[in-house]
Amino acid sequence: RFTIINDFSQAWSLNDAAHRVEHFRMVELTGHHINNTLNLGFNPKHILLVAYFHDLFSWSRHNHHLMSGEWIMTTDYPLIAQLDPEERSLVASGCREHRASNQQPFSNQFAELMSSADRGFPDNNLKGMLQRAIDYRLHRGDNHEEARKGALIHLKEKFGSQGYARYPNLYLLTFQKELQEQRDLVDLL
């Protein structure tokens, strides 16, 4: 983890504030939690690699997931280059299929795990969720009032009970009760 953070901090600085090392650490912790809770048996190293590389290109919001998957398959970065072809393919699928808006079936259970991990722990911390959404909008140039209003709309559209965010079955198996509590809070905004 420390090698990756040291090697990629400069590249991540191009990302909005919501898609930097704090987010990657949360994805890693959530991935390990789901993996352990459901006894899925996935390699912790693969979880770590997807956690830190799935948003490598998130400065390009519309296709960053595809770019990350392609990077995993073609890079000579030592931590990736040492993976065998099957492992690379698995890690790449976790990067390509992580987005909440993804409507395609998962290609494998590991991709479902990492998409679940990208949702984070449903901590019912609306203040934190709202701040992350505001930070994203401020980074793209909105003024504070526009950022706050846009963030409120976004949270309801994405995370409310009628929101578009996809919660994979592995996520629901792990966090069903907590997720419903979070949705109820978002609906009250």
Side-chain angles (χ1 to χ4, degrees):
R1 170 180 326 111
F2 300 110
T3 301
I4 294 170
I5 292 170
N6 188 51
D7 291 347
F8 287 89
S9 289
Q10 180 77 20
W12 294 330
S13 70
L14 299 174
N15 294 353
D16 63 86
H19 294 93
R20 294 188 183 164
V21 74
E22 298 81 15
H23 170 63
F24 307 147
R25 180 69 176 143
M26 179 274 306
V27 172
E28 179 188 9
L29 292 173
T30 308
H32 291 312
H33 178 80
I34 296 169
N35 190 40
N36 294 335
T37 299
L38 299 178
N39 297 311
L40 300 175
F42 289 109
N43 186 330
K45 178 181 176 180
H46 298 154
I47 293 170
L48 179 140
L49 292 173
V50 174
Y52 284 87
F53 293 126
H54 76 284
D55 281 335
L56 181 60
F57 303 100
S58 72
W59 46 264
S60 173
R61 296 301 299 149
H62 73 283
N63 68 345
H64 74 281
H65 56 299
L66 301 174
M67 292 167 52
S68 292
E70 183 65 22
W71 183 83
I72 293 292
M73 294 304 293
T74 60
T75 186
D76 62 357
Y77 182 66
L79 290 174
I80 304 297
Q82 69 185 0
L83 299 175
D84 67 39
E86 188 174 300
E87 289 176 301
R88 269 194 189 220
S89 181
L90 190 70
V91 171
S93 72
C95 291
R96 277 192 308 270
E97 300 175 37
H98 80 271
R99 296 190 70 176
S101 58
N102 176 31
Q103 296 300 313
Q104 300 302 313
F106 294 107
S107 62
N108 57 65
Q109 191 177 45
F110 181 73
E112 181 180 357
L113 167 64
M114 296 315 300
S115 180
S116 297
D118 191 52
R119 306 297 149 257
F121 291 95
D123 59 10
N124 299 323
N125 177 4
L126 284 183
K127 184 177 179 181
M129 292 173 71
L130 183 59
Q131 190 58 55
R132 188 166 180 244
I134 289 171
D135 288 346
Y136 169 77
R137 281 158 181 75
L138 290 172
H139 180 80
R140 73 175 190 194
D142 290 2
N143 68 43
H144 198 278
E145 185 59 23
E146 291 169 337
R148 190 185 68 71
K149 286 180 181 177
L152 286 168
I153 292 167
H154 171 72
L155 287 184
K156 291 185 106 164
E157 288 177 348
K158 184 172 182 180
F159 298 111
S161 59
Q162 301 301 312
Y164 69 82
R166 179 181 185 193
Y167 292 96
N169 289 334
L170 295 179
Y171 192 89
L172 296 174
L173 286 170
T174 308
F175 299 119
Q176 182 67 49
K177 179 180 179 245
E178 298 90 342
L179 177 60
Q180 188 57 54
E181 290 170 1
Q182 177 179 288
R183 286 175 166 166
D184 291 344
L185 288 172
V186 169
D187 286 345
L188 293 174
L189 292 175

